[in-house]
Amino acid sequence: MPRRTIAVFVVTVLLPLLGVTAAHADPPAPAVARLDHTEHITDRRTALFVYSPSMNRVVQVQVLHPSWQGPRPTLYLLDGVSAGAESDYRESTWTQKTDIVDFFADKNVNVVLPVGGTASYYTDWRNPDPVLGTNRWETFLTRELPPIVDAEFSGNGTDAIGGLSMGATGAMSLITRHPDLYEGVAALSGCLDTSRDSTRDSVRGTVAYKGGNPDNMWGAPGDPAWKEHDPYVNAEALRGKDIFISTGNGLPGPYDLGATSDVLTVGAPLEAGAFACTITFDRRLRELRIPATVEYRPWGTHSWRYWQDDLRSAWPTLARALGLSAR
């Protein structure tokens, strides 16, 4: 009996006799993200509201883009721990705290700024959290969102990713887990080595700081999922990528003169922690002979004016990854 005839016999005769329908044999296709609505802020800045089936909610992302037409690459930039909470999630903290809109105004690139994701590390959480909700950011950023961005803004399929603080850790984790998606990465003041108890506790403390239960993210500290998301452990995936990493060291710098007390009492130790994580990650890349641009500022706390400067320093590396001029 020909194979096609056998297949028809199984589907139409045998499976029904066993109580199995064709629908059961072929599971339904997964739900697809869709563009819920768009708000045009300026001719070079647009807010997309995208329904994410994995998170079962509408997520805002703001896109900085040229006013002219034509194919172009895309840079995804992730936020810090508050992730837009300062504006009640109306916009990214990048656009509130830096001159990023002006900086990219003359560059032929889409810059995607997710709004929201407080203390999420932009990863897929194992369980919904009573305080932080359902977080499936890895699925959203790597599968659901890119086709919509490319369709709406002439994306050419060449992407890079970056972030600061929590977003730096998230960006480096995403590129090591999805090296086929991104050509380069910029990590500003992030903890890129969570292989040690102290650094793992730092990540868990960030989640707890915003009221979340860190066990809902990657499980308890000894869970294998922590290694699966650790850029240090998975650094080999960065081979061939354009890499930029920067950090201060917690010492007061030019932007800290007259700063509020929380910048010094909180921002200084946070940046010192990022400095320590960067050293071990830098050493790991050197052991693997993976080239990277690593900048150690001689000062600086964990604060936005330094990150604005760091983004400018990172741009030549990101531009190279995206196939653009660094002008």
Side-chain angles (χ1 to χ4, degrees):
M1 183 180 296
R3 290 183 179 178
R4 180 177 177 84
T5 304
I6 293 174
V8 172
F9 173 78
V10 169
V11 172
T12 61
V13 178
L14 184 57
L15 291 181
L17 288 175
L18 296 174
V20 179
T21 67
H24 292 144
D26 296 316
V32 177
R34 67 176 186 274
L35 183 59
D36 185 82
H37 67 281
T38 300
E39 294 181 5
H40 297 285
I41 301 171
T42 71
D43 64 340
R44 294 196 302 267
R45 181 177 172 190
T46 302
L48 300 181
F49 293 83
V50 178
Y51 172 72
S52 165
S54 65
M55 292 193 276
N56 193 29
R57 68 175 185 267
V58 173
V59 178
Q60 182 191 173
V61 296
Q62 293 202 358
V63 183
L64 311 181
H65 52 85
S67 56
W68 57 87
Q69 300 298 314
R72 48 187 174 261
T74 302
L75 170 63
Y76 291 80
L77 274 183
L78 308 183
D79 214 330
V81 63
S82 295
E86 293 89 344
S87 65
D88 294 326
Y89 304 105
R90 290 189 297 271
E91 61 179 310
S92 164
T93 323
W94 277 104
T95 56
Q96 300 173 61
K97 301 287 188 178
T98 76
D99 66 352
I100 190 172
V101 175
D102 292 334
F103 179 69
F104 281 104
D106 62 346
K107 296 173 176 57
N108 190 33
V109 61
N110 300 319
V111 182
V112 178
L113 306 167
V115 179
T118 296
S120 69
Y121 279 92
Y122 296 102
T123 188
D124 283 1
W125 283 42
R126 178 167 296 175
N127 302 307
D129 188 84
V131 174
L132 300 178
T134 298
N135 287 299
R136 305 287 295 176
W137 286 95
E138 181 174 345
T139 295
F140 179 72
L141 291 168
T142 63
R143 292 171 51 190
E144 296 175 347
L145 181 60
I148 293 174
V149 169
D150 287 351
E152 293 292 317
F153 299 101
S154 304
N156 64 9
T158 300
D159 297 339
I161 192 167
L164 59 92
S165 190
M166 177 194 79
T169 306
M172 196 65 79
S173 178
L174 286 173
I175 192 174
T176 55
R177 288 173 58 79
H178 301 274
D180 55 320
L181 291 183
Y182 308 107
E183 301 302 321
V185 63
L188 318 180
S189 300
C191 190
L192 311 178
D193 170 12
T194 58
S195 63
R196 296 170 291 147
D197 289 343
S198 59
T199 52
R200 195 179 299 116
D201 288 345
S202 175
V203 170
R204 291 174 62 83
T206 299
V207 174
Y209 167 66
K210 290 297 185 179
N213 180 348
D215 286 353
N216 286 328
M217 187 167 68
W218 298 324
D223 194 289
W226 282 85
K227 286 187 176 181
E228 293 168 6
H229 293 84
D230 186 348
Y232 181 92
V233 172
N234 301 299
E236 177 61 38
L238 293 169
R239 191 171 301 281
K241 305 300 180 183
D242 290 299
I243 305 165
F244 178 90
I245 301 167
S246 66
T247 182
N249 54 23
L251 295 176
Y255 295 144
D256 299 307
L257 300 176
T260 57
S261 60
D262 64 319
V263 169
L264 299 178
T265 59
V266 178
L270 284 176
E271 195 69 7
F275 176 77
C277 285
T278 299
I279 288 175
T280 59
F281 191 74
D282 183 10
R283 185 180 301 133
R284 174 65 171 158
L285 293 180
R286 293 174 185 273
E287 290 171 353
L288 295 173
R289 299 182 183 275
I290 295 177
T293 299
V294 184
E295 292 195 357
Y296 295 95
R297 284 186 270 105
W299 50 62
T301 57
H302 207 67
S303 49
W304 280 95
R305 292 185 70 183
Y306 295 109
W307 295 325
Q308 176 171 286
D309 290 349
D310 289 347
L311 181 60
R312 283 169 164 73
S313 298
W315 177 239
T317 301
L318 291 171
R320 184 169 62 248
L322 295 167
L324 298 172
S325 167
R327 64 177 179 82

